[in-house]
Amino acid sequence: MGRRRGIMSQQFKEELAKELGFYDTVQREGWGGITARQAGSMVKRAVEIAQQSLLNQQKQ
């Protein structure tokens, strides 16, 4: 199987890593350098942002 195409843009992932405090690790070691917990935190935060966006759209 080929590599899966990511759902999150590179810029969005970098913004999340900065917000969550491990962007320095990403810069030094790449995405493979983050822990599973950190990756999970990124996914959790991305879901929270998406849910809030949907709520805001429904209110309009």
Short mmCIF file of all heavy atoms in Angstrom, two decimals:
data_model
loop_
_atom_site.label_atom_id
_atom_site.label_comp_id
_atom_site.label_asym_id
_atom_site.label_seq_id
_atom_site.Cartn_x
_atom_site.Cartn_y
_atom_site.Cartn_z
N MET A 1 0.83 -1.20 0.00
CA MET A 1 0.00 0.00 0.00
C MET A 1 0.88 1.26 0.00
O MET A 1 1.93 1.28 0.62
CB MET A 1 -0.87 0.04 1.25
CG MET A 1 -2.08 -0.87 1.20
SD MET A 1 -3.07 -0.74 2.70
CE MET A 1 -4.03 0.70 2.32
N GLY A 2 0.41 2.26 -0.68
CA GLY A 2 1.13 3.52 -0.70
C GLY A 2 0.85 4.33 0.55
O GLY A 2 0.03 3.96 1.38
N ARG A 3 1.54 5.41 0.67
CA ARG A 3 1.33 6.28 1.84
C ARG A 3 -0.02 6.96 1.74
O ARG A 3 -0.44 7.38 0.67
CB ARG A 3 2.42 7.34 1.89
CG ARG A 3 3.76 6.74 2.26
CD ARG A 3 4.76 7.81 2.45
NE ARG A 3 4.45 8.52 3.68
CZ ARG A 3 5.26 9.37 4.27
NH1 ARG A 3 6.40 9.65 3.73
NH2 ARG A 3 4.93 9.97 5.38
N ARG A 4 -0.67 7.04 2.86
CA ARG A 4 -1.96 7.74 2.91
C ARG A 4 -1.73 9.24 2.89
O ARG A 4 -0.77 9.74 3.43
CB ARG A 4 -2.69 7.36 4.19
CG ARG A 4 -3.19 5.96 4.16
CD ARG A 4 -3.88 5.56 5.42
NE ARG A 4 -4.73 6.63 5.93
CZ ARG A 4 -5.36 6.58 7.09
NH1 ARG A 4 -5.22 5.54 7.85
NH2 ARG A 4 -6.11 7.57 7.49
N ARG A 5 -2.63 9.91 2.25
CA ARG A 5 -2.56 11.37 2.19
C ARG A 5 -3.17 11.93 3.47
O ARG A 5 -4.23 11.52 3.90
CB ARG A 5 -3.33 11.86 0.98
CG ARG A 5 -3.21 13.35 0.79
CD ARG A 5 -3.71 13.75 -0.59
NE ARG A 5 -3.58 15.17 -0.73
CZ ARG A 5 -4.62 15.99 -0.76
NH1 ARG A 5 -5.83 15.52 -0.70
NH2 ARG A 5 -4.44 17.29 -0.87
N GLY A 6 -2.48 12.85 4.10
CA GLY A 6 -2.94 13.42 5.36
C GLY A 6 -4.17 14.29 5.19
O GLY A 6 -4.38 14.91 4.14
N ILE A 7 -4.96 14.33 6.22
CA ILE A 7 -6.18 15.14 6.22
C ILE A 7 -5.85 16.57 6.64
O ILE A 7 -6.38 17.53 6.10
CB ILE A 7 -7.24 14.52 7.14
CG1 ILE A 7 -7.69 13.19 6.57
CG2 ILE A 7 -8.42 15.46 7.33
CD1 ILE A 7 -8.61 12.41 7.46
N MET A 8 -4.94 16.71 7.61
CA MET A 8 -4.57 18.03 8.11
C MET A 8 -3.44 18.60 7.25
O MET A 8 -2.51 17.88 6.89
CB MET A 8 -4.09 17.95 9.55
CG MET A 8 -5.18 17.62 10.54
SD MET A 8 -4.63 17.82 12.25
CE MET A 8 -3.91 16.22 12.57
N SER A 9 -3.52 19.88 6.97
CA SER A 9 -2.45 20.52 6.21
C SER A 9 -1.19 20.62 7.08
O SER A 9 -1.26 20.60 8.31
CB SER A 9 -2.88 21.91 5.76
OG SER A 9 -2.92 22.80 6.87
N GLN A 10 -0.08 20.76 6.43
CA GLN A 10 1.19 20.91 7.14
C GLN A 10 1.16 22.13 8.04
O GLN A 10 1.60 22.08 9.18
CB GLN A 10 2.33 21.01 6.12
CG GLN A 10 3.70 21.03 6.73
CD GLN A 10 4.10 19.71 7.34
OE1 GLN A 10 3.56 18.66 7.00
NE2 GLN A 10 5.04 19.74 8.25
N GLN A 11 0.60 23.22 7.55
CA GLN A 11 0.54 24.46 8.32
C GLN A 11 -0.31 24.27 9.57
O GLN A 11 0.05 24.72 10.65
CB GLN A 11 -0.03 25.60 7.46
CG GLN A 11 -0.11 26.91 8.21
CD GLN A 11 -0.69 28.03 7.36
OE1 GLN A 11 -0.98 27.84 6.19
NE2 GLN A 11 -0.86 29.19 7.95
N PHE A 12 -1.45 23.58 9.43
CA PHE A 12 -2.34 23.36 10.57
C PHE A 12 -1.64 22.48 11.61
O PHE A 12 -1.72 22.75 12.81
CB PHE A 12 -3.64 22.72 10.09
CG PHE A 12 -4.67 22.55 11.18
CD1 PHE A 12 -5.12 23.64 11.91
CD2 PHE A 12 -5.19 21.30 11.46
CE1 PHE A 12 -6.07 23.48 12.91
CE2 PHE A 12 -6.15 21.13 12.45
CZ PHE A 12 -6.58 22.23 13.18
N LYS A 13 -0.95 21.45 11.17
CA LYS A 13 -0.22 20.58 12.10
C LYS A 13 0.85 21.37 12.85
O LYS A 13 1.02 21.19 14.05
CB LYS A 13 0.42 19.40 11.37
CG LYS A 13 -0.59 18.39 10.87
CD LYS A 13 0.04 17.09 10.42
CE LYS A 13 0.99 17.23 9.28
NZ LYS A 13 1.47 15.95 8.75
N GLU A 14 1.55 22.23 12.14
CA GLU A 14 2.58 23.05 12.78
C GLU A 14 1.97 24.00 13.81
O GLU A 14 2.51 24.17 14.90
CB GLU A 14 3.38 23.81 11.74
CG GLU A 14 4.28 22.91 10.91
CD GLU A 14 4.97 23.61 9.77
OE1 GLU A 14 4.79 24.84 9.59
OE2 GLU A 14 5.72 22.93 9.04
N GLU A 15 0.82 24.59 13.48
CA GLU A 15 0.15 25.49 14.42
C GLU A 15 -0.28 24.73 15.67
O GLU A 15 -0.14 25.23 16.79
CB GLU A 15 -1.06 26.14 13.75
CG GLU A 15 -0.70 27.17 12.71
CD GLU A 15 -1.91 27.70 11.95
OE1 GLU A 15 -3.05 27.47 12.39
OE2 GLU A 15 -1.70 28.34 10.91
N LEU A 16 -0.80 23.51 15.49
CA LEU A 16 -1.19 22.70 16.64
C LEU A 16 0.01 22.34 17.49
O LEU A 16 -0.05 22.41 18.73
CB LEU A 16 -1.90 21.42 16.18
CG LEU A 16 -3.30 21.58 15.60
CD1 LEU A 16 -3.80 20.25 15.06
CD2 LEU A 16 -4.25 22.13 16.65
N ALA A 17 1.11 21.96 16.86
CA ALA A 17 2.32 21.60 17.60
C ALA A 17 2.84 22.81 18.39
O ALA A 17 3.27 22.65 19.55
CB ALA A 17 3.39 21.08 16.65
N LYS A 18 2.76 23.99 17.81
CA LYS A 18 3.18 25.20 18.53
C LYS A 18 2.26 25.43 19.73
O LYS A 18 2.73 25.72 20.83
CB LYS A 18 3.14 26.41 17.60
CG LYS A 18 4.25 26.42 16.57
CD LYS A 18 4.09 27.57 15.60
CE LYS A 18 5.11 27.49 14.48
NZ LYS A 18 4.89 28.55 13.47
N GLU A 19 0.95 25.33 19.50
CA GLU A 19 -0.02 25.56 20.56
C GLU A 19 0.17 24.55 21.71
O GLU A 19 0.04 24.91 22.88
CB GLU A 19 -1.44 25.41 20.00
CG GLU A 19 -2.55 25.59 21.01
CD GLU A 19 -3.93 25.43 20.41
OE1 GLU A 19 -4.14 25.78 19.23
OE2 GLU A 19 -4.81 24.94 21.14
N LEU A 20 0.50 23.32 21.37
CA LEU A 20 0.63 22.27 22.37
C LEU A 20 2.04 22.17 22.96
O LEU A 20 2.27 21.39 23.87
CB LEU A 20 0.20 20.93 21.76
CG LEU A 20 -1.28 20.88 21.35
CD1 LEU A 20 -1.56 19.62 20.54
CD2 LEU A 20 -2.19 20.96 22.56
N GLY A 21 2.97 22.95 22.41
CA GLY A 21 4.28 23.08 23.03
C GLY A 21 5.35 22.09 22.62
O GLY A 21 6.35 21.96 23.33
N PHE A 22 5.21 21.42 21.50
CA PHE A 22 6.27 20.51 21.08
C PHE A 22 6.74 20.75 19.65
O PHE A 22 7.34 19.87 19.02
CB PHE A 22 5.85 19.04 21.27
CG PHE A 22 4.55 18.65 20.62
CD1 PHE A 22 4.50 18.27 19.29
CD2 PHE A 22 3.38 18.64 21.35
CE1 PHE A 22 3.31 17.91 18.69
CE2 PHE A 22 2.18 18.28 20.77
CZ PHE A 22 2.15 17.91 19.44
N TYR A 23 6.54 21.96 19.16
CA TYR A 23 7.00 22.29 17.81
C TYR A 23 8.52 22.22 17.69
O TYR A 23 9.05 21.85 16.65
CB TYR A 23 6.49 23.66 17.39
CG TYR A 23 6.85 24.02 15.97
CD1 TYR A 23 6.31 23.30 14.91
CD2 TYR A 23 7.71 25.07 15.68
CE1 TYR A 23 6.63 23.62 13.60
CE2 TYR A 23 8.02 25.40 14.37
CZ TYR A 23 7.49 24.66 13.34
OH TYR A 23 7.81 24.97 12.04
N ASP A 24 9.22 22.52 18.79
CA ASP A 24 10.68 22.44 18.76
C ASP A 24 11.15 21.01 18.45
O ASP A 24 12.11 20.81 17.72
CB ASP A 24 11.29 22.94 20.07
CG ASP A 24 10.78 22.18 21.29
OD1 ASP A 24 9.62 21.73 21.28
OD2 ASP A 24 11.54 22.06 22.27
N THR A 25 10.45 20.02 18.98
CA THR A 25 10.78 18.62 18.69
C THR A 25 10.55 18.33 17.21
O THR A 25 11.36 17.65 16.57
CB THR A 25 9.92 17.67 19.54
OG1 THR A 25 10.15 17.95 20.92
CG2 THR A 25 10.24 16.21 19.26
N VAL A 26 9.45 18.83 16.66
CA VAL A 26 9.15 18.62 15.25
C VAL A 26 10.24 19.23 14.38
O VAL A 26 10.69 18.62 13.41
CB VAL A 26 7.76 19.21 14.89
CG1 VAL A 26 7.51 19.16 13.40
CG2 VAL A 26 6.66 18.49 15.65
N GLN A 27 10.70 20.42 14.75
CA GLN A 27 11.76 21.07 13.98
C GLN A 27 13.07 20.28 14.03
O GLN A 27 13.75 20.17 13.03
CB GLN A 27 11.99 22.49 14.50
CG GLN A 27 10.90 23.45 14.11
CD GLN A 27 11.21 24.85 14.56
OE1 GLN A 27 11.54 25.09 15.72
NE2 GLN A 27 11.13 25.79 13.64
N ARG A 28 13.39 19.76 15.21
CA ARG A 28 14.66 19.02 15.37
C ARG A 28 14.61 17.63 14.76
O ARG A 28 15.55 17.20 14.10
CB ARG A 28 14.99 18.88 16.85
CG ARG A 28 15.64 20.07 17.49
CD ARG A 28 16.25 19.74 18.85
NE ARG A 28 15.45 18.82 19.67
CZ ARG A 28 14.47 19.17 20.51
NH1 ARG A 28 14.17 20.45 20.64
NH2 ARG A 28 13.82 18.28 21.21
N GLU A 29 13.50 16.90 15.00
CA GLU A 29 13.45 15.48 14.67
C GLU A 29 12.43 15.10 13.61
O GLU A 29 12.36 13.95 13.21
CB GLU A 29 13.16 14.68 15.95
CG GLU A 29 14.17 14.93 17.05
CD GLU A 29 13.78 14.23 18.34
OE1 GLU A 29 13.14 13.16 18.27
OE2 GLU A 29 14.11 14.76 19.42
N GLY A 30 11.61 16.05 13.20
CA GLY A 30 10.53 15.73 12.27
C GLY A 30 9.33 15.16 13.00
O GLY A 30 9.35 14.99 14.23
N TRP A 31 8.31 14.83 12.25
CA TRP A 31 7.08 14.33 12.86
C TRP A 31 7.27 12.98 13.53
O TRP A 31 6.55 12.63 14.47
CB TRP A 31 5.94 14.28 11.84
CG TRP A 31 5.51 15.65 11.43
CD1 TRP A 31 5.77 16.27 10.25
CD2 TRP A 31 4.81 16.60 12.23
NE1 TRP A 31 5.26 17.55 10.27
CE2 TRP A 31 4.67 17.77 11.47
CE3 TRP A 31 4.29 16.58 13.52
CZ2 TRP A 31 4.02 18.91 11.95
CZ3 TRP A 31 3.64 17.71 14.00
CH2 TRP A 31 3.51 18.86 13.23
N GLY A 32 8.25 12.22 13.10
CA GLY A 32 8.53 10.93 13.72
C GLY A 32 9.11 11.06 15.12
O GLY A 32 9.17 10.07 15.85
N GLY A 33 9.50 12.25 15.51
CA GLY A 33 10.10 12.47 16.82
C GLY A 33 9.10 12.73 17.93
O GLY A 33 9.48 12.77 19.10
N ILE A 34 7.83 12.92 17.58
CA ILE A 34 6.85 13.18 18.64
C ILE A 34 6.33 11.85 19.19
O ILE A 34 6.37 10.83 18.54
CB ILE A 34 5.68 14.07 18.15
CG1 ILE A 34 4.83 13.37 17.10
CG2 ILE A 34 6.20 15.41 17.66
CD1 ILE A 34 3.56 14.12 16.73
N THR A 35 5.84 11.91 20.42
CA THR A 35 5.32 10.71 21.06
C THR A 35 3.90 10.43 20.60
O THR A 35 3.22 11.31 20.04
CB THR A 35 5.31 10.88 22.59
OG1 THR A 35 4.37 11.91 22.95
CG2 THR A 35 6.70 11.22 23.13
N ALA A 36 3.45 9.23 20.87
CA ALA A 36 2.07 8.87 20.55
C ALA A 36 1.09 9.75 21.32
O ALA A 36 0.05 10.15 20.80
CB ALA A 36 1.82 7.39 20.87
N ARG A 37 1.44 10.07 22.54
CA ARG A 37 0.58 10.95 23.35
C ARG A 37 0.47 12.34 22.71
O ARG A 37 -0.61 12.93 22.66
CB ARG A 37 1.13 11.07 24.76
CG ARG A 37 0.28 11.97 25.65
CD ARG A 37 0.78 11.92 27.05
NE ARG A 37 0.48 10.58 27.55
CZ ARG A 37 0.09 10.32 28.79
NH1 ARG A 37 -0.02 11.30 29.65
NH2 ARG A 37 -0.17 9.10 29.15
N GLN A 38 1.58 12.86 22.22
CA GLN A 38 1.57 14.16 21.57
C GLN A 38 0.74 14.12 20.29
O GLN A 38 -0.03 15.04 20.02
CB GLN A 38 2.99 14.64 21.28
CG GLN A 38 3.76 15.00 22.53
CD GLN A 38 5.23 15.22 22.28
OE1 GLN A 38 5.84 14.54 21.45
NE2 GLN A 38 5.83 16.15 23.00
N ALA A 39 0.90 13.05 19.52
CA ALA A 39 0.09 12.91 18.30
C ALA A 39 -1.39 12.83 18.65
O ALA A 39 -2.22 13.45 17.98
CB ALA A 39 0.53 11.67 17.53
N GLY A 40 -1.71 12.10 19.69
CA GLY A 40 -3.10 12.01 20.14
C GLY A 40 -3.64 13.35 20.58
O GLY A 40 -4.80 13.68 20.32
N SER A 41 -2.80 14.13 21.25
CA SER A 41 -3.21 15.47 21.68
C SER A 41 -3.51 16.36 20.48
O SER A 41 -4.45 17.17 20.51
CB SER A 41 -2.12 16.11 22.53
OG SER A 41 -1.95 15.42 23.74
N MET A 42 -2.72 16.19 19.42
CA MET A 42 -2.96 16.96 18.20
C MET A 42 -4.31 16.60 17.59
O MET A 42 -5.08 17.48 17.20
CB MET A 42 -1.86 16.69 17.16
CG MET A 42 -0.58 17.39 17.43
SD MET A 42 0.63 17.09 16.13
CE MET A 42 -0.15 17.84 14.71
N VAL A 43 -4.60 15.32 17.52
CA VAL A 43 -5.87 14.86 16.95
C VAL A 43 -7.03 15.35 17.80
O VAL A 43 -8.03 15.87 17.28
CB VAL A 43 -5.89 13.32 16.82
CG1 VAL A 43 -7.27 12.83 16.43
CG2 VAL A 43 -4.85 12.85 15.83
N LYS A 44 -6.90 15.22 19.12
CA LYS A 44 -7.96 15.67 20.02
C LYS A 44 -8.24 17.17 19.84
O LYS A 44 -9.39 17.59 19.74
CB LYS A 44 -7.57 15.39 21.47
CG LYS A 44 -8.60 15.79 22.47
CD LYS A 44 -8.16 15.46 23.89
CE LYS A 44 -9.19 15.94 24.89
NZ LYS A 44 -8.76 15.68 26.28
N ARG A 45 -7.18 17.96 19.77
CA ARG A 45 -7.34 19.42 19.60
C ARG A 45 -7.94 19.75 18.23
O ARG A 45 -8.80 20.63 18.13
CB ARG A 45 -5.98 20.11 19.77
CG ARG A 45 -6.06 21.60 19.69
CD ARG A 45 -6.84 22.19 20.86
NE ARG A 45 -6.93 23.63 20.70
CZ ARG A 45 -8.07 24.31 20.64
NH1 ARG A 45 -9.22 23.70 20.81
NH2 ARG A 45 -8.06 25.60 20.44
N ALA A 46 -7.53 19.02 17.20
CA ALA A 46 -8.09 19.25 15.86
C ALA A 46 -9.59 18.95 15.85
O ALA A 46 -10.37 19.68 15.24
CB ALA A 46 -7.37 18.39 14.83
N VAL A 47 -10.00 17.89 16.54
CA VAL A 47 -11.43 17.55 16.63
C VAL A 47 -12.18 18.65 17.38
O VAL A 47 -13.27 19.06 16.97
CB VAL A 47 -11.62 16.17 17.29
CG1 VAL A 47 -13.08 15.93 17.63
CG2 VAL A 47 -11.09 15.07 16.39
N GLU A 48 -11.61 19.14 18.46
CA GLU A 48 -12.25 20.22 19.22
C GLU A 48 -12.44 21.46 18.35
O GLU A 48 -13.50 22.09 18.38
CB GLU A 48 -11.40 20.59 20.44
CG GLU A 48 -11.39 19.53 21.53
CD GLU A 48 -10.36 19.80 22.62
OE1 GLU A 48 -9.50 20.71 22.45
OE2 GLU A 48 -10.39 19.09 23.63
N ILE A 49 -11.43 21.80 17.57
CA ILE A 49 -11.51 22.97 16.68
C ILE A 49 -12.60 22.75 15.63
O ILE A 49 -13.39 23.65 15.34
CB ILE A 49 -10.15 23.26 16.04
CG1 ILE A 49 -9.16 23.77 17.10
CG2 ILE A 49 -10.27 24.26 14.89
CD1 ILE A 49 -7.72 23.84 16.64
N ALA A 50 -12.66 21.55 15.06
CA ALA A 50 -13.66 21.24 14.04
C ALA A 50 -15.07 21.30 14.63
O ALA A 50 -15.99 21.85 14.01
CB ALA A 50 -13.40 19.87 13.44
N GLN A 51 -15.24 20.77 15.83
CA GLN A 51 -16.56 20.80 16.47
C GLN A 51 -17.00 22.23 16.75
O GLN A 51 -18.15 22.59 16.52
CB GLN A 51 -16.54 19.99 17.76
CG GLN A 51 -16.50 18.51 17.55
CD GLN A 51 -16.35 17.73 18.84
OE1 GLN A 51 -15.79 18.21 19.83
NE2 GLN A 51 -16.85 16.50 18.84
N GLN A 52 -16.08 23.05 17.24
CA GLN A 52 -16.41 24.45 17.52
C GLN A 52 -16.77 25.18 16.23
O GLN A 52 -17.70 25.98 16.21
CB GLN A 52 -15.23 25.15 18.22
CG GLN A 52 -15.57 26.53 18.70
CD GLN A 52 -16.69 26.54 19.72
OE1 GLN A 52 -16.69 25.76 20.65
NE2 GLN A 52 -17.66 27.41 19.54
N SER A 53 -16.06 24.88 15.16
CA SER A 53 -16.35 25.50 13.88
C SER A 53 -17.76 25.13 13.40
O SER A 53 -18.49 25.99 12.91
CB SER A 53 -15.31 25.07 12.86
OG SER A 53 -15.60 25.62 11.59
N LEU A 54 -18.11 23.87 13.56
CA LEU A 54 -19.46 23.43 13.15
C LEU A 54 -20.53 24.11 14.00
O LEU A 54 -21.57 24.53 13.46
CB LEU A 54 -19.59 21.91 13.28
CG LEU A 54 -18.88 21.09 12.21
CD1 LEU A 54 -18.95 19.61 12.56
CD2 LEU A 54 -19.49 21.34 10.85
N LEU A 55 -20.30 24.22 15.30
CA LEU A 55 -21.26 24.90 16.17
C LEU A 55 -21.45 26.35 15.76
O LEU A 55 -22.56 26.87 15.73
CB LEU A 55 -20.82 24.82 17.62
CG LEU A 55 -20.99 23.48 18.32
CD1 LEU A 55 -20.35 23.51 19.70
CD2 LEU A 55 -22.46 23.12 18.42
N ASN A 56 -20.33 27.01 15.45
CA ASN A 56 -20.39 28.42 15.04
C ASN A 56 -21.15 28.56 13.72
O ASN A 56 -21.90 29.52 13.53
CB ASN A 56 -18.99 29.00 14.90
CG ASN A 56 -18.32 29.18 16.25
OD1 ASN A 56 -18.97 29.22 17.29
ND2 ASN A 56 -17.01 29.29 16.25
N GLN A 57 -20.97 27.61 12.80
CA GLN A 57 -21.69 27.66 11.52
C GLN A 57 -23.19 27.45 11.72
O GLN A 57 -24.00 28.07 11.04
CB GLN A 57 -21.16 26.61 10.55
CG GLN A 57 -19.80 26.94 10.00
CD GLN A 57 -19.26 25.84 9.11
OE1 GLN A 57 -19.90 24.82 8.88
NE2 GLN A 57 -18.06 26.05 8.57
N GLN A 58 -23.56 26.58 12.65
CA GLN A 58 -24.97 26.29 12.90
C GLN A 58 -25.67 27.49 13.54
O GLN A 58 -26.86 27.70 13.35
CB GLN A 58 -25.12 25.07 13.80
CG GLN A 58 -24.76 23.79 13.10
CD GLN A 58 -24.79 22.59 14.04
OE1 GLN A 58 -24.91 22.70 15.23
NE2 GLN A 58 -24.69 21.40 13.44
N LYS A 59 -24.94 28.28 14.32
CA LYS A 59 -25.51 29.45 14.98
C LYS A 59 -25.83 30.58 14.00
O LYS A 59 -26.65 31.43 14.28
CB LYS A 59 -24.57 29.98 16.06
CG LYS A 59 -24.48 29.07 17.26
CD LYS A 59 -23.52 29.63 18.28
CE LYS A 59 -23.39 28.69 19.46
NZ LYS A 59 -22.45 29.21 20.46
N GLN A 60 -25.18 30.56 12.84
CA GLN A 60 -25.37 31.65 11.87
C GLN A 60 -26.61 31.47 11.05
O GLN A 60 -27.24 30.58 10.84
CB GLN A 60 -24.15 31.74 10.95
CG GLN A 60 -22.94 32.18 11.69
CD GLN A 60 -21.71 32.24 10.79
OE1 GLN A 60 -21.75 31.93 9.61
NE2 GLN A 60 -20.60 32.66 11.36
#
